[in-house]
Amino acid sequence: MCPYRLVLEHVTSRWGVLVLIALLERSYRFSELRREIGRTARVSEKMLTQTLQTLERDGMIHRDAKPVIPPRVDYSLTPLGREAAEQVRALALWTERRMGAVERAREEYDEARL
C-alpha cells in the first residue's frame, strides 16, 4: 500500500478523526479521552488503544507516561498532529454545514434509480 494512502487512512479513520479532533482542545488521559469520544460514538478500549498507537507511530500523538503510582499517561498532539487535526476538523465542520445538500443529492440519486 502507498505510504501516503496509509497515513491518510489512519488520520481519516472512524476513531482517528475523533481522537485528533478531541486532542485539539487539550491533552487527555486514556479514560478521559474514551469518555470524550463516547459522547459521539462508543469506542472499545482495544480500538482506542490501537488508534492511539497507530497515530503515535505516525508522529501525530505524543504519549507521556509519568512514573507515578498509579501510572498516569497523557495523550496530546504533536505539531504534525495538530496540523492534521485542524485539517480533519475543517472537513468535519464542512460536512456538518453541507449535510443538507448531501441528503438532497442522495434523494435525487435514489429517485432517479427507481
Side-chain angles (χ1 to χ4, degrees):
M1 183 180 273
C2 172
Y4 308 113
R5 205 166 186 187
L6 192 57
V7 171
L8 185 61
E9 187 176 302
H10 296 163
V11 169
T12 61
S13 71
R14 178 179 185 184
W15 305 118
V17 167
L18 296 176
V19 165
L20 290 170
I21 290 173
L23 289 174
L24 263 174
E25 303 305 319
R26 65 179 184 90
S27 64
Y28 282 95
R29 293 175 68 180
F30 183 88
S31 58
E32 292 175 321
L33 184 58
R34 188 166 179 215
R35 274 192 304 277
E36 177 65 23
I37 290 172
R39 293 181 195 193
T40 307
R42 281 189 79 134
V43 60
S44 70
E45 190 171 313
K46 178 183 177 184
M47 282 308 305
L48 182 55
T49 298
Q50 287 177 348
T51 300
L52 289 167
Q53 288 173 343
T54 298
L55 292 172
E56 182 183 9
R57 183 171 183 254
D58 286 345
M60 307 286 171
I61 289 179
H62 174 71
R63 181 181 184 273
D64 183 22
K66 294 181 177 32
V68 295
I69 297 176
R72 180 183 173 107
V73 179
D74 291 301
Y75 295 92
S76 60
L77 293 174
T78 64
L80 184 64
R82 180 162 296 284
E83 186 178 344
E86 288 168 354
Q87 299 299 315
V88 168
R89 180 174 59 184
L91 181 58
L93 292 172
W94 175 86
T95 303
E96 187 178 323
R97 281 193 316 270
R98 301 300 289 158
M99 198 60 214
V102 170
E103 288 171 343
R104 284 189 298 281
R106 288 176 177 173
E107 289 170 8
E108 290 172 11
Y109 178 89
D110 292 344
E111 287 173 10
R113 299 285 181 258
L114 293 177

